[in-house]
Each structure stands twice: as C-alpha cells, then as structure tokens.
Amino acid sequence: MTTQNKPKIGVYICHCGMNIAPKVDVEEVARYIQELDHVTVARDYKFMCSNPGQDMIINDIKELGLNRVVVASCSPRMHEKTFRNAVRTAGLNPYYFQMANIREQVSWVTKDSQEATEKAKSMVAAAVARVFFHQPLDTREVTVAKSVLVIGGGIAGMQAALTSANAGYQVSLVEREPSIGGHMAKFDKTFPTLDCAACIMTPKMVDVLQHPGITLYTWSEVEKVEGFIGNFEVTVKKKPRYVDEKKCTGCGTCMQKCPTKKILSEFNEGLSFRTAIYTPFPQAVPNVPVIDATHCRVLGQNKKCGVCAKFCETKAIDFDQKPEFVTLKIGAIITATGFQAVNPTSLEQYGYGRFPEVYTSMEFERLNNATGPTSGKVLMKNGMVPKRVAIIHCVGSRDTRHKKYCSRVCCMYSMKFAHLLREKTGAEVWEFYIDIRSPGKLYEEFYNRVQEEGVRFIRGRVAEITDMVEDPGDEGRLTVIAESTLTRRTVRVPVDMVVLSVGLEPARGSEDIGRLLGLSRDGDGWFNELHAKLAPLATPINGIFLAGCCQGPKDIPDTVAQAMGAAGEAIALLAKGIVTTQAEISRIDPDLCSGCKSCIESCTYSAIRFDEARKVAVVNEALCMGCGSCAAACPSSAAGVKHFTDKQVMGEIEALLM
Amino acid sequence: MKICFYPGCSFATSAGYKESTEAVCRKLNIELNEIPDWNCCGATVMFGENKLRATTLAARHFALVQTMGFEDLVTGCNACYATLRKAARLLDRDRELFQKTQEVLHNLGLELDRIPKVRHLLEVLMEAMPDSTSDKYKTLSVGAYYGCQLTRPDQELDKGWYPEILEHFLARIGFSVKEHSARTQCCGASHAVIYKNECQGLSHRIIREIANKGAQVITTVCPLCQFNLDQAQTQNNEPRLPVTYFTQLAGLALGLAPAELGLNKLLVSADKVLTRP
C-alpha cells in the first residue's frame, strides 16, 4: 500500500438523540476507537444524519485527508445512502464507507449500559477493520423504459393507471377478472358522504378504457416478471375469452340466448344467477363477455350447443381461442391487488351458511344495490321487508382466533348500512360493536348522525346467533345473544336479518404475485412496504410500488390517495430517465473458473451465462442483484460479491472476536 | 378389537349406558378391558383446586394404561373425556408438571413414561359400526345432543360450536336426523344436582329446541347429559322426548332387543316411538 493510499479512517459515533446516547457511553466509545490503528479521528455527535453531522464528515475528509469513513448509528437501511452521499460530496468514492448499527443491534436491545458500551466498541472496531479493506466501486447508469405496469384493476389500480397515464407514460393495466372496477363497483353508497359508488366509479372506468396512454388487459394475469428497476420484462397471460374483443359490439344477445342460466353470480355474491357467457355486471369495462369454460355446454361438457355463436351477428364467438402471451418492457410496477372479505363460515356461532337470513357485508352491499339481485330493495329471502336488523361488527377482526388486526373500514360501512336500512325500510337497527372506530374526515359526525337516526348501539361482542325459540316473539326469527358491556347485562335480541361486518384479508393469489415480484408479506399476508412511515408506497424491490389494500386494510379515500402517491413515485422514477445500478454485484474470476456451471444453476435472477469460447461463467452486471448465491455455490472460489470480499468479511469478524 | 376402557363414575349407574355399550361391543367383537382399580377423573372441579392433584388423578390412569400395554384410552363420558384430555395436554406442554406428577405416581408404585391418546367411545363406534342395510328406523327422527364438553374448547373431534359427527354417525347406521341449534348448549352439568331449579330451564330449552325441530328422540354421548335431559321431563308434561344413549340406538341398528340395551331404564319411556309399526 502506497503512502497516499494509506488508510486514514474517520469514525463518527451518533447519539441519535436519546436513542443511543443514554444507553451507550458514546464518548467512551469514541475515546476507545481513537486509539485503534489507522483511525485519524473519532468523534461523537447528537445527530450524524443532520446537516451539521454530514458537514462534519465532509470537512474532516477535506481537512484531515480522510480516505475511509465509519458511522456508528442506526441501521444501514435507514441512512447508509445518506452517508455514502456525504462521502461522495467530499470527493471520495462512496464505497469507502462502512456503517455500524449501534441502535437496533445495541442500544435498543441491550439492557445493561456497560454491556451496551462494550458491544458498541467491538461493533465499531469491526467496521473499522472492514473499511480498511474497502475498495472503490463504480455504479452504472441505465436508461429506463418509460412505461408502468399496474397489477389489479380496482379503484387503486385504476387511479394509479390514470395518474401515471396523465403524466404521459404508457400504462399497462392487468386485471384477472373480466371487468375492471374491483370491490368498489359492487358498492351502492360510500361513507360518510353517501355518494353513489357507481356515479363516481363508472366514469373513471370509462376513462381508463378510453385513455390513449392505457392498455387494458382484463381477464389476464401476470405470468412472469424478469429484469430490474427501469427494465422489467413482464409476461402477461391473456386468458381465452372465447369472444373476439375486436369484433364484439357488446349487444348482449349471446347472454340472453345462453341456455345455461343457473350459475351463481360472483359479482352478486351468489345472490343471483348468471349465464355461461356473461359480463359480471351491466356496466362492465370492457363491455365484452367471457365464456365460463367450466359451465359452458360446448367447452365444459362437450355438448352441442353454440347458441351464442349462432345468434352473434358479428361472429365474435371463437371456441378455439387459446391463451395469449404478451411481453411488455416496463419501467416501474404498481401492485394494487387489493383484498377479499373474510369468509365467516368458520365462525360457527354466527351460523353463516346455516341460517338464510345471515348475510356477509359484501352480500348486503349487493342486496342494497340498485343493480343487485333485488334492484336495491332490502328484502329477506321470503320477499318480506325486515322489521329488525342486527349488524355485527368485527366478525373475524380483532380476534386472536382469527385476524388480530382491526380491518379499519367495518365500523364505517356498518353505520352506512344502518343509515340505508333506516332510510329504505324503516327497520329497527341494532349495531353490536366492540369500539367504534371513526377516525376520518366527517366520520365521527356520521356516527353521531346515525345515532340521531335512532340506530341502537350495543357495546359487546356477539356470543351467538341462534334460531332457538325461547320466547313467543322469537318464532321464525334469529336471536342475537350478546353481553352489553355498558349495562353489564346479557341481551337477547330477536331479529329478522343479520349482517356480519366481516373483516378484510389479502386477495386470493397475492402470495403468488408476491413470489413473482419478490415482495415479502407480513404475518397477516399484506405486502410489506419499505418503511412503515417514510416509505409507505415503496417496497424493498426497487421500482415496485404498492397502492391500496394489498398493503393493508384501507377505505376508499386512503386508497385513492395512496394510488396517486404510488403513481407519483413511479413517475418520479421514470421522469429522471435513468437509474443507477448497484455496485455490490457478483464478479467471477475467469482465471479461477473451472466452468462447472454451479453458479448458473444457483442464480435466481438468470444473471450468469456461460461463455462457450472461453469455457467460463460470465455475470450480466445489469441483471445481478448481488445476492451471493453464486459465491456460495462456486467450488473453486472464482465467484465473489464485490463489497463482500473474503478479506472484508473476515477482517470484520476477526475484529468482532477480539 | 381390544380397547382399554375407562368407565368413569357415572357409567355403571346410568340408564342403560353400561348395558348397551357392553351389548354393542359384544356384537361387534370389541373387547372392553376395564382399567383395574380406576379412580375418579377429578371431573371439572379439580383443576380449580390444585393443578398437580388434578393431573395426578388423571395421570394415574395413564400409568395404568401403560401397565396394561395399551396405546389409547377410551371413555364414554364427556366430562372424563374433557378432563383426561386437558390433563394430557398440560402434561405434554409442562415438563416440570410432568416430572412432579411422575414422582407422585412413583411413590404409588406406578411409572408414567408416555401419555396415551384419550378417545371417546363415539370415535371407536364410528369406525366399528357397519353401514345400515335396513329401513327399519328410517322414519325415526333423532336429535343429536353433544353437550358442552365434547368439542369445546378442544376441537379435535369436530367443530366447536356446531359439530356434525354424531349426525353423520346416526345417518350412517340408519336413523333419520333432525338438525337443530341446541347441540352444544349447556344442560346444567353437575350443577343440576345442587341447583336443581335453576338448571331445569337449561335442560328444557334444549329439549324444546330439539322438539321444535321435529325430532322424536334425543340421543346423547354422556351420562350427565342423559340424566339431566331425562329427569328434567319428569316434572314437565310437554314436550316429552325419550333421551337415549347413542349406544342404545347403535344396538337397535344391530338388531339387539331393547331390554338388552337397558332402554327400560329411561325415565321418559321410549317404547312408543321405538315400537311403532
């Protein structure tokens, strides 16, 4: 090592306000580190990430001629970028920097102060030993495809697509159902303003369809995602519709003529029937039917039928349609896969599936909807108007046996139901709740309003819903049994109809989407955001963002805001036009490579190819994510990851063990 | 088939449970090996008193089962079933409690190394009973009553609130089944002895519900349930439904005579419904 390259290390110990300093004796750590070899300066400071903190590093590099920097503070996930930038600003290669995490790994978890101080010393010393071996690394800049993929065509996906497309980017919106619209298309009114959902929703659906910047793939699924930020290569599978989208005029004759009429309608939550060739609802976008291959007489049962084809004037029916695969070049991905309502069957005490007059909230939405099975009249299965209705909150939510979390929207939609029931039927409405959660603009006011409308609120989780008759008044009704915790009495309320306000859970298939995209999910199955507070729309995978309920339960206003935000993130990325690739990637030494191809098999990113001429493995730097699988698999130590060399890692470990 | 049988304290004196169980098992070639010198399981009260004593009362049988060379223990009483399973679960999870229990048993001259599987007689007959080939009882509608301890809180045998195993059993052996909503409602259990008046209502609501749903006979899987539901009707005129054991109905399905099954011991006579043309 020449004299000018001789390591001169600056070490900075952060107090992190009250997070590190009271537990770790930061001054003592600085004193100890100052004495280590190659350490030119060791300082402690209240907030290293603040402007003065960063300036301190920059000035020391310039004035003391530092050529290596260590900051001991929080997790690298939080501030590694910040400090690398500071080092770069001072004219040093940003990889001449190492971070020691003495907050999450020391002060937050170690009880004894002295022990914490000793631990911090050894972790900072390890960082010093490591940074000694650091080498300058270069990042490269790659151009970005100016296009966005949105997965999911509910209100979140639609809004994200519209915002991105309005900014001038090419958007591909993929929806697995025959129509966009998602859950919101099933709602009648929305809380707390009682806007008609269809009135605010259907124009947006048409906007999506007609927007020149949006390509709509309905009845389609994302099949494969390869590549990296700015340069994803996405394969979309268009499932066979058996109807030619270009020829179909949406006249609906095929649906009228289809003889298979007794299929439970998914859109109406099984409360009405549909035909085998169908659009989920009259306002579907696109207004092109699909054939349900399982129930179709021709496709599913090998029978002669083809009535739809006979009546179709434009000859749009095509029973021979096969799946089509489309490959897209994508710059950024917005995941908006949404939620599904919890199925309450396993909560046997509520008798869902056993008692015909016990409904889920989604069923009630349809029952209440002008385009629903009863044209918006709230009727029981016997055609009568209910005189008394119970609404049970937190079904499947806030329950350690089911979902631990609060589903956030149930209190408000329950009260919306109560209002609509009072207005439409005049029925007596009893709400059984644990706590009323109405934190939102005009939400508490809505709570007050429905109370004034005469809705009864009983604070207590319902124990049981039964058809047992204990009183003449129970005959032919359901009895709700609960403890009223405010009056400390058990209440038995005979009712005609029960609505179970079921909670939200991640949409079916979100596990598969997570696997395709490399997204992690939390214990409840929701996608993890990069940072709960400061990066709620980003994910640990660069270039992939989250919108709507796939990240956690949300109401419509929050979903729309988040969708616009996610689009904003995507736009910000694409507008810049370039992304910087990471420098910590694999390198395979051609002199050591024996050509065994173990690394090629181990690479999940398909980033290594085999050079037949030289008989060695070669890394594609644009695709490599630096995971290190190849380094572990390589039997001849030819593969290694830059910034994680044996010298660097062993140096760090040795110092830790000292 | 040989099974290791734990009768519990109400088995022998109940209205035909012993007779019918023995007759059915004879017919099906099931050898009932009664645990010698068995004691009270501790019932539900003991766990509230003293955990070690409670587990010891149960574990003494586990040790005896081991001595007899059996893997499973079978009981026909819901309270025994629930209590023994609870003890087994505690011993399985709590190493220290297990060791202490072992010591107590050791001083009694018994060794406990492994915990047997506790099964209900219903499970055994579910497997052993042949499918019905006769229409004789097709028109006899039965309301199955499980009681509160068989499936709750431990739901291994069936769903907790709305079990269906007994209905499946009855349908398979040739009875018609009436669905109802009282299947796991409490009958008053042992409180019915001390607080007779208070508990009458609990039993009546069960009987009323089963009658309302159109059943002619009730069947139970537990001596205390049978007793409570049967005796509650002695002071009450309407409705009157015979309360049988599932083993008695199994015996009828196998063609055994009512007298052989102890059906004459029921307080509400079953003669009328069973001897209909």
Side-chain angles (χ1 to χ4, degrees), chain B residues 52 56 59-60 63-64 66 97-113:
Chain B
L52 178 62
T56 307
R60 185 171 170 274
L64 289 168
Q66 190 178 321
L97 184 66
F98 187 67
Q99 280 164 359
K100 278 188 188 162
T101 310
Q102 274 178 321
E103 279 168 35
V104 181
L105 291 174
H106 181 77
N107 294 337
L108 295 169
L110 288 167
E111 299 307 327
L112 178 67
D113 306 311

Side-chain angles (χ1 to χ4, degrees), chain A residues 139-336:
Chain A
T139 52
R140 289 184 316 121
E141 287 181 338
V142 182
T143 54
V144 161
K146 302 255 180 191
S147 54
V148 179
L149 168 73
V150 179
I151 307 173
I155 184 62
M158 284 166 45
Q159 187 58 57
L162 283 170
T163 306
S164 309
N166 285 342
Y169 297 97
Q170 200 57 43
V171 178
S172 299
L173 176 58
V174 178
E175 166 59 53
R176 67 178 169 191
E177 299 297 334
S179 168
I180 54 171
H183 282 95
M184 190 176 161
K186 297 184 176 184
F187 302 161
D188 183 55
K189 294 277 167 52
T190 55
F191 62 78
T193 46
L194 301 170
D195 302 77
C196 153
C199 310
I200 54 178
M201 181 82 177
T202 37
K204 252 194 200 318
M205 288 162 63
V206 175
D207 285 353
V208 169
L209 180 73
Q210 292 176 347
H211 202 296
I214 299 176
T215 314
L216 195 53
Y217 297 94
T218 53
W219 201 239
S220 300
E221 287 180 34
V222 174
E223 184 85 356
K224 198 160 78 176
V225 178
E226 288 180 322
F228 57 99
I229 178 173
N231 293 277
F232 294 106
E233 199 174 289
V234 177
T235 310
V236 173
K237 177 187 178 183
K238 293 177 73 179
K239 297 181 277 190
R241 238 186 159 96
Y242 304 107
V243 176
D244 189 328
E245 284 181 66
K246 292 191 191 83
K247 290 183 186 164
C248 175
T249 59
C251 71
T253 309
C254 52
M255 295 188 267
Q256 285 165 13
K257 300 292 180 187
C258 177
T260 311
K261 295 186 190 297
K262 291 280 177 185
I263 307 162
L264 290 177
S265 155
E266 295 85 356
F267 189 80
N268 273 337
E269 299 287 326
L271 295 173
S272 71
F273 297 111
R274 63 162 170 84
T275 43
I277 184 164
Y278 72 107
T279 54
F281 53 108
Q283 300 75 25
V285 169
N287 187 21
V288 178
V290 294
I291 299 181
D292 168 352
T294 322
H295 292 99
C296 170
R297 298 188 184 195
V298 174
L299 293 165
Q301 293 152 19
N302 248 330
K303 286 184 191 159
K304 278 190 186 161
C305 174
V307 169
C308 51
K310 279 177 210 136
F311 282 93
C312 180
E313 285 182 19
T314 57
K315 302 288 167 230
I317 310 288
D318 176 7
F319 288 117
D320 298 321
Q321 228 177 47
K322 298 275 173 296
E324 256 180 76
F325 295 89
V326 184
T327 309
L328 305 168
K329 273 283 190 197
I330 296 294
I333 300 176
I334 297 172
T335 313

Side-chain angles (χ1 to χ4, degrees), chain B residues 30-51:
Chain B
I30 298 171
E31 188 183 308
L32 289 169
N33 293 276
E34 189 172 317
I35 297 177
D37 189 30
W38 55 267
N39 53 268
C40 169
C41 71
T44 37
V45 285
M46 209 56 206
F47 281 102
E49 293 287 321
N50 181 310
K51 209 184 202 177

Side-chain angles (χ1 to χ4, degrees), chain A residues 485-556:
Chain A
T485 57
L486 296 178
T487 58
R488 300 194 199 164
R489 283 205 191 107
T490 320
V491 290
R492 296 182 75 263
V493 185
V495 298
D496 301 311
M497 182 185 268
V498 177
V499 181
L500 303 179
S501 295
V502 291
L504 273 48
E505 64 186 7
R508 158 184 69 84
S510 51
E511 196 179 347
D512 302 326
I513 289 287
R515 210 174 298 123
L516 275 178
L517 298 174
L519 299 180
S520 61
R521 306 192 311 150
D522 67 15
D524 299 311
W526 308 105
F527 290 129
N528 281 328
E529 61 282 349
L530 182 61
H531 189 281
K533 293 165 193 76
L534 301 179
L537 312 175
T539 68
I541 308 291
N542 287 332
I544 302 186
F545 306 99
L546 303 174
C549 285
C550 66
Q551 181 257 348
K554 270 175 208 72
D555 57 17
I556 296 168

Side-chain angles (χ1 to χ4, degrees), chain A residues 348-349 354-355 401 463-464 466-470 475 481 492, chain B residues 155 159-163 181-182 185 205-206 208-209 212-213:
Chain A
E348 299 158 59
Q349 64 271 36
R354 205 152 32 93
F355 303 132
R401 292 164 300 178
E464 193 184 358
T466 183
D467 63 346
M468 276 175 70
V469 176
E470 299 209 28
E475 198 73 57
I481 302 166
R492 296 182 75 263
Chain B
Q155 302 176 12
K159 295 174 291 175
W161 275 86
Y162 200 75
S181 296
Q185 297 289 335
R205 64 201 281 261
I206 295 164
R208 233 178 6 247
E209 161 67 6
N212 277 351
K213 294 287 162 71

